[in-house]
Amino acid sequence: MYKIESIAQIVNGTFLQKGDNAVIEHLLYDSRTVSFPAASLFFALHTQRQDGHYFIADAYRKGVRCFVVDREIVLDELPGATVLRVANTLQALQQLAMHHRKQFSIPVIGITGSNGKTVVKEWLYQLLQMDYKIARSPKSYNSQIGVPLSVWQLQPEHTLALFEAGISHKGEMQTLAAIIQPTIGVLTNIGEAHSENFDSLEQKAIEKVQLFQTAEVVVYPEDDSVASLVLHQGERSDLLPYKHFSWGNSPYAQLHVDAVSIQDGRALVAAVYNKQSFQIIVPFIDDASVQNALTCSSVLLQLGYSVDVINERLQGLHAVDMRLQLKHGLNNSVIINDSYSADLTSLHIALHFMSQQNVEQKRTVILSDFVESGLVETRLYEIIAAALVQHRVSRVIAIGEKISRYIVAYLPDSIQLQCFLSTEEFLAQIKISTFQQEVILVKGARRFLFERVVQLLEVKVHQTRLEINLNAISHNLKQYQALLKPSTKVMVMVKAFAYGSGSSEIASVLQFNKVDYLGVAYADEGVALRKGGISLPIMVMNADEASFYSITEYNLQPVLYSFEILERFEQHVQNTGLQNYPVHLEVETGMNRLGFAVSDIEAVGKHLRDQSLLAVESLFSHLAASEDPAQDAYTQQQAGLYQQAAAALEKYITYPFLKHISNSAAIVRHPQLQWDMVRLGIGVYGVEIATEKLDLQPVATLRTTIAQLKHLIPGESVSYNRRGVVTAPSLIATVRIGYADGYSRRLGYGTGKMWVNGQLVPVIGTVCMDMTMINVTHLPHVKVGDEVVVFGNELPIEQLAGWAGTIPYEIMTGISQRVKRVYFQE
Ligand SMILES: *Cc1c(COP(=O)(O)O)cnc(C)c1O
């Protein structure tokens, strides 16, 4: 807690205006995530596309009264607020964190490296939490903004801290090092991730080890040649005067690893430490987990733990699943599954995620006892209750002795409260029918086994599912935004159920990321978005007379593409008594699909000038071959025609309207055509057509499972018409997906492959309506229930589309609605 006056001194700021004396407990930079407005200080930061100064008014509306700015702002609209002016808001945030860090003399573990930072941090937390009160970075807060916010969490009761540091540019680690000031450094590895801004791996390593300037000891993998080279150089040059503690196969490693073998789903590591041989048992078998476990074991050895204690604790490690899953619940409810953790930081993250969902639905939170936090219980549950009130939760179901005892005192009567002493008691007594059309957050500490609560509330359908990674949507959007001028607006096309990935769920993420417009094909799609709580402007490309009523009723914006539709819509607007209704005009330049002829635009302009029923929001055209270098002349010709049309319209329409022509491929290939707005489609869903310039993440993964296995002998056949005949003894798996789910019949007879247990295996025989058979003869350890990836990270959708002789667009939009969509956010 800091008085605002002390903060002003620390960050060297001057007061532009001073309100009531405030005591600051929370730091904020995103006005969408306000939890405790009265005790929060808002930093107006400049990020790639946003200027936080524009969101001060929003934060003020939500009750925030203290602000740090680095330019002039209008103070009239902020009565009673305290506004602190500094030279640079990001630096001020970092200075404040540095100052805060200096108040503590506890062990601080600073973790960096290319992969595994978050897992190592979370595992060290799992391994050490019984002995220490630990402060740690939330999720993977490891950036120039994330690190100061993490360090700010340090409180007097903490006895250990775990912070991660990640960099993507030269020079950034210096700052993070000064904020974290680790006493123990951990380097996980040096790999290719985030390398684009470094000249070489070595340079990246040199940059990363800057974190360790204050460290007394650094833990790292000796076998990682770049890492050990750089660290040994540092040692020679006395630049970095710390001790080394390395693990690996190398003779120089203090924790020497002789061999790793796999047995019963565990990795057995034969190791030598201090001349003593022993075995480390890791309850995971993949390489990355084994490496992360060895990094953690080294830290524990360094902290003085015995091998026996380390082994005992390793057995309790669980996978780090930081994903918030969104599932379809019974009675039209939506479930947010966060049944892995119960601490204040993750509660805030989950509540914000909840607020992003349908704004109108009732909100219920099912919450267990909290495990941390060093706070006295009354204070802890008071804070939890305040967060629940702030996020407009209407019902709280408390499960556990502590929460049941303490939370009552802090919840207002307007929130319905039900208490249960245990998960069993809840499961035995609760009536499912009491959950109706609401958003339900299920959040509890691991020992409460809330996955059983989720199972109870979830709709159960056949096991094939399309997993949608909502973070990837935001990530891909940013990739495209980075190619745009800051002033260029973005419309994201969410037609055809957001290219198959779900409508309002995707639209909520886009709305949260502040895109400017959404585009749909038909009015019904727009209506569904409005019912899902989407308030962004929505353009409807294919409006017909039958849909005019819903268009005006739901405040959608139609595209007018012919005189006939223009006149009819105008008539409708007049009949409804509306004025200046926003419409978009499409002009035909070479796609030959919909649109006014260029030569008609003068007449359209004249007509629209003389009326006040319709207002032109934009004029656009659609490119037919923006992805194809062989057609670049045609694309230019389309652009030229479009400009003629725009000039013609401007003669009559004197107010500003938006001009746009670019789709995803054009944003990358024809940057000069971005004009006022672009229409982003397939790219946001993770597919880059024609170029490979961006670092997109796949959004959708289609998974199914094995229903049965069969041994066949030579001459036996598989599926209809007996066209899949085996010539050798074979093992055939039946998987739960068929052409009715969108798995094309063209993928039969070995044309298509699926990914099972790390390998691609071919389809055998005809694809059936609901099932497909695959040949798993050469797969070790395959069993009924195993997961099968149809497309996703492991098997790109582009590849599947190639096999099926089509394009990713058709595969994505062809996944049938009976395939359950599961959304998650990391
Ligand atoms: C679908 C569509 C887009 C988006 O195209 P992508 O190739 O998916 O980027 C843009 N504009 C119009 C008119 C569209 O119909």
Side-chain angles (χ1 to χ4, degrees):
M1 282 194 240
Y2 287 76
K3 289 202 183 110
I4 190 75
E5 287 81 6
S6 331
I7 293 182
Q9 277 186 355
I10 296 165
V11 303
N12 205 2
T14 48
F15 287 107
L16 295 184
Q17 176 172 302
K18 190 120 187 320
D20 290 343
N21 291 334
V23 175
I24 301 300
E25 282 182 63
H26 305 275
L27 305 183
L28 265 181
Y29 71 101
D30 186 336
S31 65
R32 295 168 301 185
T33 59
V34 176
S35 286
F36 300 105
S40 292
L41 176 60
F42 180 92
F43 282 79
L45 300 180
H46 304 266
T47 56
Q48 197 177 21
R49 300 256 314 171
Q50 305 283 6
D51 176 353
H53 295 81
Y54 292 122
F55 300 100
I56 289 176
D58 186 38
Y60 184 88
R61 259 196 305 284
K62 292 176 177 161
V64 179
R65 289 295 176 269
C66 293
F67 302 89
V68 180
V69 302
D70 58 17
R71 64 170 168 79
E72 292 297 326
I73 58 163
V74 184
L75 295 168
D76 305 353
E77 288 155 15
L78 309 172
T82 296
V83 182
L84 201 53
R85 167 113 189 225
V86 296
N88 177 305
T89 43
L90 177 62
Q91 280 168 15
L93 172 67
Q94 295 172 339
Q95 274 162 7
L96 182 57
M98 280 177 217
H99 174 92
H100 187 63
R101 167 68 183 90
K102 290 205 185 99
Q103 313 310 307
F104 298 86
S105 51
I106 57 172
V108 171
I109 303 184
I111 305 164
T112 190
S114 299
N115 305 102
K117 294 187 284 291
T118 304
V119 174
V120 166
K121 180 198 69 196
E122 290 299 317
W123 278 3
L124 284 173
Y125 176 76
Q126 292 176 21
L127 295 166
L128 294 169
Q129 55 157 340
M130 36 304 239
D131 303 324
Y132 295 91
K133 288 204 182 344
I134 302 177
R136 71 192 201 279
S137 318
K139 301 197 285 184
S140 45
Y141 273 31
N142 59 30
S143 67
Q144 298 288 308
I145 300 172
V147 168
L149 296 179
S150 301
V151 169
W152 182 256
Q153 306 210 343
L154 276 172
Q155 294 297 322
E157 62 271 12
H158 289 128
T159 56
L160 179 81
L162 296 166
F163 297 128
E164 12 173 334
I167 51 168
S168 44
H169 289 93
K170 287 181 230 174
E172 290 185 338
M173 193 58 96
Q174 281 289 352
T175 314
L176 301 187
I179 302 171
I180 297 177
Q181 297 171 33
T183 58
I184 299 178
V186 174
L187 179 67
T188 57
N189 53 38
I190 300 287
E192 291 291 343
H194 308 291
S195 296
E196 49 286 10
N197 300 312
F198 297 94
D199 304 334
S200 64
L201 281 184
E202 192 178 341
Q203 190 208 24
K204 194 168 71 164
I206 291 172
E207 177 74 24
K208 284 191 194 271
V209 304
Q210 299 295 319
L211 177 63
F212 306 136
Q213 284 164 9
T214 55
E216 290 148 20
V217 57
V218 176
V219 172
Y220 67 97
E222 191 69 58
D223 300 339
D224 186 316
S225 52
V226 183
S228 72
L229 184 76
V230 169
L231 282 159
H232 287 297
Q233 270 171 6
E235 182 182 41
R236 271 199 302 277
S237 65
D238 285 342
L239 274 177
L240 303 163
Y242 39 73
K243 275 200 310 185
H244 286 194
F245 190 106
S246 65
W247 60 269
N249 196 236
S250 150
Y252 302 109
Q254 276 94 332
L255 174 59
H256 179 77
V257 175
D258 269 334
V260 181
S261 57
I262 308 293
Q263 215 177 65
D264 302 333
R266 299 187 300 180
L268 311 182
V269 182
V272 183
Y273 176 62
N274 266 349
K275 305 206 174 81
Q276 293 215 344
S277 298
F278 58 91
Q279 198 173 43
I280 297 178
I281 303 162
V282 182
F284 296 90
I285 57 170
D286 61 289
D287 287 349
S289 297
V290 173
Q291 288 169 17
N292 291 334
L294 285 167
T295 299
C296 293
S297 304
S298 302
V299 174
L300 266 66
L301 284 172
Q302 173 61 34
L303 289 172
Y305 284 86
S306 73
V307 176
D308 289 344
V309 173
I310 294 175
N311 262 334
E312 186 193 310
R313 293 203 179 164
L314 284 176
Q315 301 327 299
L317 279 187
H318 46 80
V320 177
D321 195 342
M322 314 279 279
R323 308 190 318 185
L324 287 171
Q325 278 179 330
L326 205 56
K327 299 186 163 193
H328 291 291
L330 296 169
N331 309 329
N332 273 326
S333 291
V334 172
I335 304 167
I336 301 172
N337 178 13
D338 190 12
S339 53
Y340 322 103
S341 57
D343 55 76
L344 286 176
T345 310
S346 65
L347 175 68
H348 288 306
I349 293 166
L351 286 172
H352 287 305
F353 185 58
M354 182 178 214
S355 310
Q356 266 170 266
Q357 306 311 315
N358 192 330
V359 281
E360 273 134 44
Q361 276 182 332
K362 204 177 120 191
R363 298 177 186 170
T364 294
V365 174
I366 304 179
L367 212 58
S368 78
D369 286 351
F370 271 38
V371 283
E372 33 157 22
S373 59
L375 291 171
V376 288
E377 246 120 31
T378 46
R379 176 76 183 129
L380 174 65
Y381 289 100
E382 184 183 3
I383 295 177
I384 293 171
L388 297 170
V389 171
Q390 177 78 25
H391 287 276
R392 295 191 287 111
V393 170
S394 41
R395 170 160 64 151
V396 174
I397 297 177
I399 300 181
E401 288 174 21
K402 299 229 166 89
I403 189 168
S404 300
R405 177 158 1 124
Y406 293 109
I407 202 151
V408 199
Y410 305 109
L411 284 181
D413 291 342
S414 56
I415 299 184
Q416 188 195 341
L417 174 67
Q418 290 165 278
C419 294
F420 300 89
L421 292 179
S422 66
T423 311
E424 287 69 31
E425 193 183 302
F426 167 80
L427 292 171
Q429 295 183 8
I430 195 72
K431 289 202 181 52
I432 300 288
S433 59
T434 65
F435 297 95
Q436 294 281 349
Q437 305 199 11
E438 51 201 290
V439 188
I440 309 166
L441 169 63
V442 182
K443 178 157 185 59
R446 278 197 102 75
R447 69 184 165 87
F448 284 86
L449 301 177
F450 272 9
E451 44 279 25
R452 292 177 298 168
V453 176
V454 173
Q455 273 165 19
L456 181 76
L457 298 174
E458 182 183 14
V459 179
K460 288 159 202 79
V461 286
H462 96 151
Q463 293 183 39
T464 300
R465 62 194 190 276
L466 188 68
E467 287 188 1
I468 307 292
N469 179 346
L470 298 175
N471 291 104
I473 296 267
S474 314
H475 169 90
N476 297 336
L477 175 66
K478 292 198 182 90
Q479 291 283 307
Y480 281 91
Q481 283 174 328
L483 303 179
L484 302 177
K485 294 176 299 215
S487 59
T488 305
K489 291 188 173 0
V490 178
M491 173 184 286
V492 179
M493 307 308 288
V494 291
K495 59 198 186 197
F497 209 54
Y499 288 48
S501 29
S503 49
S504 55
E505 296 85 357
I506 303 294
S508 296
V509 174
L510 295 167
Q511 178 161 295
F512 185 76
N513 281 291
K514 300 195 161 75
V515 306
D516 302 282
Y517 285 81
L518 296 175
V520 295
Y522 296 99
D524 287 351
E525 298 178 302
V527 172
L529 291 178
R530 288 279 182 259
K531 288 188 173 158
I534 302 298
S535 56
L536 283 174
I538 298 174
M539 179 179 98
V540 179
M541 290 194 292
N542 212 324
D544 64 350
E545 213 171 345
S547 65
F548 287 170
Y549 179 75
S550 345
I551 286 190
T552 47
E553 186 67 16
Y554 287 92
N555 195 13
L556 308 173
Q557 305 179 352
V559 170
L560 306 180
Y561 50 83
S562 69
F563 285 112
E564 191 188 339
I565 197 104
L566 189 160
E567 277 154 23
R568 299 220 169 136
F569 188 69
E570 197 173 37
Q571 189 63 51
H572 168 78
V573 169
Q574 182 158 38
N575 296 345
T576 335
L578 294 165
Q579 283 269 312
N580 286 318
Y581 198 87
V583 295
H584 301 261
L585 301 176
E586 179 165 5
V587 57
E588 180 57 72
T589 59
M591 175 78 180
N592 289 320
R593 191 168 72 176
L594 288 179
F596 287 102
V598 177
S599 55
D600 287 339
I601 294 294
E602 290 240 354
V604 174
K606 262 188 216 143
H607 179 96
L608 291 173
R609 177 192 57 190
D610 300 330
Q611 53 80 55
S612 57
L613 293 166
L614 306 181
V616 181
E617 187 91 353
S618 85
L619 172 74
F620 76 95
S621 192
H622 193 38
L623 296 171
S626 62
E627 72 285 359
D628 186 356
Q631 297 294 346
D632 282 351
Y634 191 77
T635 300
Q636 289 311 324
Q637 183 185 322
Q638 282 197 276
L641 287 170
Y642 174 79
Q643 279 175 304
Q644 279 176 30
L649 190 62
E650 271 169 341
K651 276 198 258 169
Y652 302 95
I653 303 296
T654 47
Y655 53 84
F657 56 89
L658 298 170
K659 304 185 192 67
H660 48 115
I661 196 166
S662 291
N663 58 358
S664 305
I667 297 173
V668 180
R669 298 200 58 252
H670 304 283
Q672 75 286 4
L673 302 185
Q674 56 180 267
W675 294 318
D676 303 324
M677 180 154 82
V678 294
R679 298 187 308 274
L680 178 58
I682 190 107
V684 95
Y685 307 99
V687 177
E688 190 175 354
I689 301 289
T691 48
E692 286 181 10
K693 292 200 171 151
L694 301 173
D695 165 32
L696 300 186
Q697 293 173 357
V699 166
T701 302
L702 181 57
R703 282 182 213 277
T704 182
T705 49
I706 295 180
Q708 196 175 33
L709 286 164
K710 293 187 197 293
H711 289 278
L712 300 192
I713 55 170
E716 288 190 293
S717 64
V718 179
S719 197
Y720 292 116
N721 314 112
R722 305 202 55 210
R723 282 186 52 195
V725 178
V726 302
T727 51
S730 300
L731 183 61
I732 305 300
T734 303
V735 295
R736 296 179 165 102
I737 189 169
Y739 57 80
D741 300 292
Y743 196 74
S744 169
R745 282 187 85 247
R746 282 170 291 186
L747 293 160
Y749 318 119
T751 309
K753 297 189 175 62
M754 296 188 191
W755 189 92
V756 190
N757 295 349
Q759 283 184 41
L760 285 180
V761 294
V763 172
I764 178 165
T766 324
V767 172
C768 307
M769 189 185 290
D770 314 296
M771 279 166 272
T772 299
M773 276 62 83
I774 52 179
N775 189 338
V776 294
T777 310
H778 300 293
L779 278 188
H781 316 306
V782 62
K783 55 185 189 309
V784 169
D786 277 0
E787 284 221 327
V788 175
V789 175
V790 180
F791 64 78
N793 251 329
E794 301 84 353
L795 168 52
I797 190 167
E798 290 90 334
Q799 171 81 71
L800 185 70
W803 288 328
T806 180
I807 50 176
Y809 297 77
E810 195 186 25
I811 303 267
M812 288 160 71
T813 54
I815 308 300
S816 75
Q817 287 306 314
R818 84 171 178 193
V819 174
K820 186 158 97 161
R821 269 72 175 167
V822 179
Y823 302 88
F824 63 88
Q825 167 153 321
E826 255 133 41

